[in-house]
Amino acid sequence: MFKFNQDWLLKNKYTALSIIASVGLLMLSFRKKNLNPFESTYKRVSQEIQQKVLQARYVIQTELKLSNENKTLILNSSIPQIHQFYESKKFTCLDVLLTFLEVALEKGFKMGYLNDVNLEDAIQKARQLDQELKSKDYKIENKPLFGIPISVKDTFIVKGTYQAFGCGAYAQKRSEIDGIQGYLINKSGGIIFAKTNLPQFGFSYESWNYLFGRSIHPQDPTRTSGGSTGGEGGLIAINGSPLGLGSDSGGSIRIPSHFCGLYGYKPSSKRLIMRGQAKGVPTWDGIRNIASCYGPMSKHFSNLVNMMSALTTNYEQAPINIKDINFVMKQFDEKECYNNNKKYKIGVLRKINLLLPCKANQRALDIAVEKLKAQGHTVIEFEIDQSIFENVFQHVYDVMLGDGGMKGTYELYKGEPWISHFDNFKKATHSCWFWKKIYQKWLKFQDRKRELMIWKAGDHGLSYYENLHITTRLTAYQIQMIQIWHDLQLDAVISPVTAGVAVKHNTAQNCFSGISYTFIWNMIDFSCGSVPITTVQEDEQYYNEQSLFGKKDIEYKVLEETMEHSAGLPVGIQVISKPLEDEVCLNIMRQCGQ
């Protein structure tokens, strides 16, 4: 038998290289080509959208006769102001719809925000509302969204549209009915006119997919508008929509709002009915450890309150097939959101040790503290055992990767290539068991604690017993947090939204700890909102915070890159209240943002 020893290799190195190259080419020739089975779907959907856009532009050209000055007036108005226009007969509902639609079409598709336009139904609804306005006894205040164009995230079930999750497999059949959110918005006079972009599978804080493309930041095309409700964030920021509806499982409303300079609100999960959206994975209804919810996004705080009123009204009259028989709607008190007489005690959570906030985010907190103190509120430092946050965030990974290799995601894609944002999770779940053990020891030796959290979670699928233990521990953490708030007599806490500002494209997957500030509150189901406060200043375009959780790693490099050339980018803060105390959270959000 021929023996490859060291002497032979030294004498015949070129022959050895040729053998290795030949074997490699042979392996490549037998390798199955990674064909995308949904290329034809992408083309079909694109052609359908192009046809709708042509129809919409024709309607705008023939029906919209407003001056540029009046268009600008509409685009910069809140819902109460638009309602005043209707009452004074200054503009019609069709005028307002087409004004926002014109901007949405001009920029929305080009910047990766729009997925679809709900043209025929929207125009029909606007004309119907204009007819109602002609009645002398008609009162707009009975419908909080009367005549307001509404954009919604791709996940929501809206008649005549896809709920594709950015996946070709789901872009096969348009919905024949409205989900509960569509029903409630329509009953409140809202006009759903657009569906907006999100990441593939709705699972990243950068919004891009192969079906609809990539959402870019309104101010900097090298950055993302956020995710997973990034299409909404961008569209509202460019005045393509006055009010949007997003969903939030770990920051998907608050992060785009922070990145794009908007108000965004996520209620606690039991405040709104959770039906009405397509399922990201077939097992979504079985996930109980991530308290997902949906909520409004807008440039104007008052618009959030109007949407919350709409989503909590008319539920009892909804058709039984779109309701949840186990859900009881709690009445929303709109007046409490504007109560200036109520004085609160508010804690300031300045950092989570997993990843410290940048200088701009720290300054935004200081600004908010001064505003709250000036309005008579008591503000204290909120310092608690950081192990609570670390343990809860570890369970984020445990739950996301706990099915033993993202099986639900594989079922959803049906052969469609994954975006690169899942690479770290794929490595952690699909590497061989021996390599997982070796690499975990190496990460521990290197003190790379943030990366180790992912690999520990991807080590094996959770058993039913282990999943019950996680549920029990998360419940205990929620009770512990509520007890801490009770002992301190806190009404709310303010904190950064993320560790940085809008990140560069294709870096979100390498800075997951940066969103621990939002994800943790989903895991223990608190109510949260994002408030625009300031922008990055020239002397804040750097990141050199110390690491209090392991050594500096790739997540630090991402934040260093993020803060370079970031002057002028929006900076927000997060307001957090106890479960179901949404009016408290919204009232404090309003006063922070005034």
Side-chain angles (χ1 to χ4, degrees):
M1 184 175 178
F2 190 73
K3 186 176 180 181
F4 287 93
N5 56 38
Q6 188 174 2
D7 292 337
W8 185 90
L9 287 173
L10 290 172
K11 292 178 181 179
N12 301 278
K13 55 185 177 182
Y14 295 113
T15 303
L17 288 171
S18 299
I19 292 172
I20 293 170
S22 299
V23 171
L25 289 171
L26 187 64
M27 292 174 66
L28 285 172
S29 67
F30 284 103
R31 190 177 169 188
K32 183 180 178 180
K33 290 184 178 179
N34 188 26
L35 298 176
N36 187 339
F38 295 103
E39 290 288 353
S40 60
T41 299
Y42 303 161
K43 292 179 182 177
R44 172 178 56 79
V45 171
S46 177
Q47 290 170 355
E48 291 173 2
I49 291 172
Q50 288 174 15
Q51 184 63 34
K52 284 190 175 185
V53 169
L54 288 174
Q55 294 172 351
R57 284 180 173 155
Y58 175 77
V59 173
I60 291 168
Q61 185 178 359
T62 55
E63 302 262 2
L64 186 60
K65 304 299 182 182
L66 298 180
S67 66
N68 289 334
E69 182 181 359
N70 279 335
K71 290 179 184 177
T72 301
L73 180 61
I74 289 172
L75 294 173
N76 291 311
S77 295
S78 65
I79 290 177
Q81 291 168 325
I82 292 175
H83 283 174
Q84 288 177 3
F85 297 149
Y86 291 155
E87 290 172 344
S88 65
K89 311 299 182 185
K90 185 176 180 66
F91 304 121
T92 66
C93 297
L94 188 61
D95 287 335
V96 172
L97 169 65
L98 295 182
T99 297
F100 281 102
L101 181 59
E102 183 178 43
V103 177
L105 293 180
E106 181 185 350
K107 301 178 181 178
F109 286 111
K110 182 170 60 177
M111 301 180 79
Y113 304 147
L114 274 183
N115 287 4
D116 202 354
V117 287
N118 191 30
L119 183 64
E120 292 182 6
D121 287 348
I123 291 176
Q124 181 180 349
K125 182 66 182 290
R127 294 189 193 280
Q128 173 195 328
L129 293 172
D130 282 332
Q131 286 299 315
E132 293 178 12
L133 271 177
K134 293 178 181 179
S135 171
K136 292 181 180 179
D137 300 326
Y138 193 82
K139 295 182 179 180
I140 285 179
E141 61 264 26
N142 293 335
K143 292 187 175 182
L145 299 180
F146 184 93
I148 304 302
I150 309 291
S151 52
V152 299
K153 189 176 182 177
D154 178 85
T155 56
F156 289 98
I157 299 173
V158 176
K159 183 179 178 181
T161 68
Y162 297 117
Q163 293 76 52
F165 269 89
C167 303
Y170 272 29
Q172 303 301 321
K173 184 179 179 181
R174 294 180 181 272
S175 176
E176 297 178 357
I177 63 169
D178 283 326
I180 185 64
Q181 295 82 13
Y183 172 86
L184 295 174
I185 288 171
N186 283 325
K187 289 290 284 185
S188 294
I191 305 171
I192 298 177
F193 79 106
K195 298 287 290 288
T196 53
N197 207 10
L198 75 175
Q200 187 184 42
F201 172 56
F203 185 54
S204 174
Y205 67 100
E206 176 175 359
S207 296
W208 76 281
N209 56 75
Y210 298 117
L211 180 60
F212 297 115
R214 187 190 301 271
S215 301
I216 64 175
H217 193 274
Q219 296 172 230
D220 183 349
T222 68
R223 299 174 186 265
T224 177
S225 60
S228 63
T229 317
E232 280 298 325
L235 188 67
I236 295 167
I238 63 168
N239 285 332
S241 171
L243 176 60
L245 188 65
S247 61
D248 190 315
S249 298
S252 297
I253 289 172
R254 291 158 286 162
I255 294 167
S257 297
H258 168 56
F259 285 1
C260 297
L262 309 175
Y263 289 93
Y265 184 62
K266 178 208 78 72
S268 52
S269 66
K270 295 177 179 61
R271 188 61 189 263
L272 300 176
I273 179 174
M274 284 314 300
R275 294 190 66 186
Q277 294 186 76
K279 297 176 178 62
V281 292
T283 55
W284 180 255
D285 284 342
I287 298 175
R288 292 290 181 264
N289 291 324
I290 298 179
S292 177
C293 198
Y294 54 90
M297 301 166 66
S298 181
K299 283 186 174 182
H300 305 278
F301 170 81
S302 60
N303 292 5
L304 271 61
V305 177
N306 282 51
M307 177 64 89
M308 287 298 296
S309 295
L311 294 174
T312 52
T313 307
N314 298 311
Y315 175 71
E316 296 303 325
Q317 292 76 43
I320 191 67
N321 65 314
I322 62 174
K323 293 168 70 173
D324 182 348
I325 59 173
N326 297 311
F327 177 77
V328 178
M329 182 68 74
K330 179 185 175 185
Q331 186 175 1
F332 182 74
D333 190 348
E334 182 177 335
K335 292 181 180 178
E336 275 302 302
C337 300
Y338 297 99
N339 186 349
N340 289 322
N341 297 320
K342 186 77 176 286
K343 301 305 174 187
Y344 299 107
K345 188 175 183 181
I346 301 162
V348 184
L349 176 64
R350 295 194 177 275
K351 69 179 189 302
I352 291 178
N353 286 354
L354 287 162
L355 207 58
L356 301 187
C358 65
K359 290 290 187 291
N361 289 357
Q362 295 175 37
R363 181 173 56 84
L365 273 181
D366 292 335
I367 294 172
V369 166
E370 292 307 313
K371 285 184 178 181
L372 292 169
K373 286 181 177 179
Q375 295 174 81
H377 302 294
T378 302
V379 183
I380 66 170
E381 296 299 314
F382 183 60
E383 297 180 355
I384 64 173
D385 183 359
Q386 288 281 330
S387 65
I388 295 177
F389 298 125
E390 294 163 12
N391 292 334
V392 170
F393 200 62
Q394 178 64 64
H395 288 325
V396 171
Y397 292 120
D398 293 337
V399 173
M400 290 192 307
L401 307 180
D403 66 355
M406 302 180 77
K407 291 178 182 176
T409 312
Y410 273 110
E411 288 182 36
L412 172 66
Y413 288 161
K414 302 185 187 323
E416 185 173 9
W418 289 18
I419 61 174
S420 61
H421 287 205
F422 302 124
D423 287 351
N424 291 337
F425 298 137
K426 287 166 65 178
K427 290 174 185 176
T429 55
H430 291 92
S431 299
C432 72
W433 68 269
F434 181 74
W435 169 247
K436 287 180 182 179
K437 296 300 182 185
I438 296 295
Y439 194 62
Q440 284 181 43
K441 290 184 180 297
W442 172 250
L443 291 174
K444 190 173 182 179
F445 174 75
Q446 290 276 301
D447 198 28
R448 289 156 60 182
K449 292 183 179 179
R450 281 172 285 270
E451 190 175 351
L452 180 60
M453 294 175 87
I454 300 175
W455 281 80
K456 283 171 65 178
D459 190 33
H460 66 283
L462 295 176
S463 67
Y464 180 68
Y465 179 75
E466 289 171 317
N467 192 58
L468 288 178
H469 262 288
I470 289 175
T471 304
T472 301
R473 285 193 289 268
L474 287 172
T475 301
Y477 288 133
Q478 184 192 56
I479 294 170
Q480 183 181 359
M481 185 66 74
I482 291 173
Q483 184 64 53
I484 292 170
W485 285 38
H486 178 267
D487 293 343
L488 294 172
Q489 298 182 325
L490 289 178
D491 296 295
V493 165
I494 61 173
S495 80
V497 184
T498 67
V501 293
V503 298
K504 298 278 188 176
H505 293 307
N506 297 319
T507 62
Q509 68 269 29
N510 293 320
C511 194
F512 208 72
S513 298
I515 63 171
S516 58
Y517 292 88
T518 55
F519 224 132
I520 282 166
W521 302 107
N522 286 80
M523 300 300 284
I524 57 176
D525 200 14
F526 277 50
S527 305
C528 319
S530 177
V531 183
I533 297 293
T534 184
T535 58
V536 180
Q537 296 182 347
E538 291 287 343
D539 60 353
E540 295 172 332
Q541 299 182 93
Y542 65 93
Y543 185 82
N544 65 350
E545 306 302 319
Q546 65 183 120
S547 177
L548 301 179
F549 189 74
K551 69 180 294 185
K552 293 186 177 182
D553 54 15
I554 191 170
E555 300 208 20
Y556 269 75
K557 293 179 181 177
V558 168
L559 285 174
E560 288 170 358
E561 181 182 352
T562 295
M563 297 313 299
E564 292 177 359
H565 309 296
S566 61
L569 290 180
V571 180
I573 65 156
Q574 182 175 212
V575 178
I576 307 126
S577 68
K578 286 175 285 188
L580 299 177
E581 295 190 359
D582 301 273
E583 291 87 348
V584 172
C585 191
L586 284 162
N587 194 12
I588 295 172
M589 286 174 62
R590 174 182 63 85
Q591 295 180 62
C592 285
Q594 284 179 343

